[in-house]
Amino acid sequence: MSDTFALPDPPDLETALDPDAYEDATVMGEEYRRDELESFLVEGAWERAFDRWTQDTSMDEETFEIVTDLELFAEFDFFWDSFADRVGYHAPGLPEDWREREIHPAIDSWETVSTINATLTEFGQEVCDVLEAEYIDWESDYEPPDDLPEF
């Protein structure tokens, strides 16, 4: 566990939410397996990914405090993409109009906004990597045809 960053709680995954509603995700399929993914997060995947992420993140303590104040970790979403046979995710981020919206008094530069957005995306990918490598053993429903060419 990182001495610099306190582990946030894993997000509550909304089972009825359609991931295609996100601008950054295109998902084929209808079975998102969020209940199972949420269980894996609670069972340790979230903490394991967080520990790995904190080892390499470029986020500093002040920026982490902003993310914590805004409760951005709670806005993560993870879902199963059966077509791609992978865990998909949506990382929260700050909007381009952050200055006009006065989102947080400590946000004073595009560098801070970019750091938050980029590092949260990196964390989301780390969570997916941990889930796929250490928790998920689902068999894909995809069966390739017998007559695929060999290369």
Side-chain angles (χ1 to χ4, degrees), residues 43-76:
E43 290 169 13
W46 181 260
E47 182 175 357
R48 186 176 211 90
F50 187 78
D51 287 346
R52 290 181 184 179
W53 174 75
T54 58
Q55 300 304 312
D56 295 322
T57 187
S58 60
M59 186 179 286
D60 60 23
E61 291 178 57
E62 182 180 332
T63 307
F64 184 80
E65 189 172 314
I66 293 168
V67 170
T68 303
D69 287 350
L70 295 174
E71 299 177 349
L72 292 178
F73 285 103
E75 294 181 28
F76 269 97

Side-chain angles (χ1 to χ4, degrees), residues 69-88:
D69 287 350
L70 295 174
E71 299 177 349
L72 292 178
F73 285 103
E75 294 181 28
F76 269 97
D77 187 20
F78 299 93
F79 46 86
W80 181 247
D81 182 344
S82 60
F83 183 78
D85 200 31
R86 67 176 177 87
V87 177

Side-chain angles (χ1 to χ4, degrees), residues 11-19 27-43 77-83 85-88 131-132 135-142:
D12 294 325
L13 304 182
E14 300 292 328
T15 56
L17 187 62
D18 183 354
V27 181
M28 306 268 215
E30 298 173 13
E31 179 63 38
Y32 304 125
R33 302 182 91 151
R34 285 193 173 100
D35 288 337
E36 293 162 280
L37 292 173
E38 187 172 341
S39 293
F40 293 149
L41 294 176
V42 170
E43 290 169 13
D77 187 20
F78 299 93
F79 46 86
W80 181 247
D81 182 344
S82 60
F83 183 78
D85 200 31
R86 67 176 177 87
V87 177
L131 285 167
E132 290 175 6
Y135 289 84
I136 294 174
D137 61 359
W138 303 322
E139 294 293 322
S140 174
D141 292 337
Y142 174 72

